[in-house]
Amino acid sequence: MQGDRTVPSDTTRERVAGATIIVSREQRDSVGNGPATVTSVLIGSISTDARGEFELTRVPAGAYFRLDVTPPSTSPYRAGTSGTVSFAPDTRVLAVVNLTSH
């Protein structure tokens, strides 16, 4: 499983090198007819390379994840999150998180 992260600004698609990505697995639990409760479990963190890309390996299919992105302190962008995403086995996925300028 490979992941490719593109972090665009509001008007352009710019890859951000040195961004930290916190990967959390999300589990949704429903009790009766009430709303689902979402529990997040920290899986780990990874940084984007010089091209603004990263690779996740051994990601279980059918699971749901949240990717929280923190750009380097010198970046003009604020931190952002992907919301809930899932990955298919043996695929290369482009995950996009929109970060806004300071």
Side-chain angles (χ1 to χ4, degrees), residues 5 7 16 19-22 48 54 67-71 78-82 97 99:
R5 163 73 61 201
V7 183
V16 177
T20 300
I21 297 135
I22 304 295
T48 57
F54 70 95
L67 307 174
D68 296 308
V69 180
T70 303
R78 294 184 185 133
T81 186
S82 66
V97 175
L99 301 180

Side-chain angles (χ1 to χ4, degrees), residues 20-74:
T20 300
I21 297 135
I22 304 295
V23 182
S24 299
R25 185 172 182 167
E26 293 196 333
Q27 175 148 350
R28 297 177 185 274
D29 298 313
S30 295
V31 177
N33 292 328
T37 301
V38 177
T39 304
S40 293
V41 177
L42 176 66
I43 300 297
S45 65
I46 192 167
S47 295
T48 57
D49 63 17
R51 295 183 314 258
E53 298 177 359
F54 70 95
E55 183 175 354
L56 298 175
T57 58
R58 295 178 283 150
V59 177
Y64 295 96
F65 300 90
R66 188 183 73 237
L67 307 174
D68 296 308
V69 180
T70 303
S73 61
T74 57

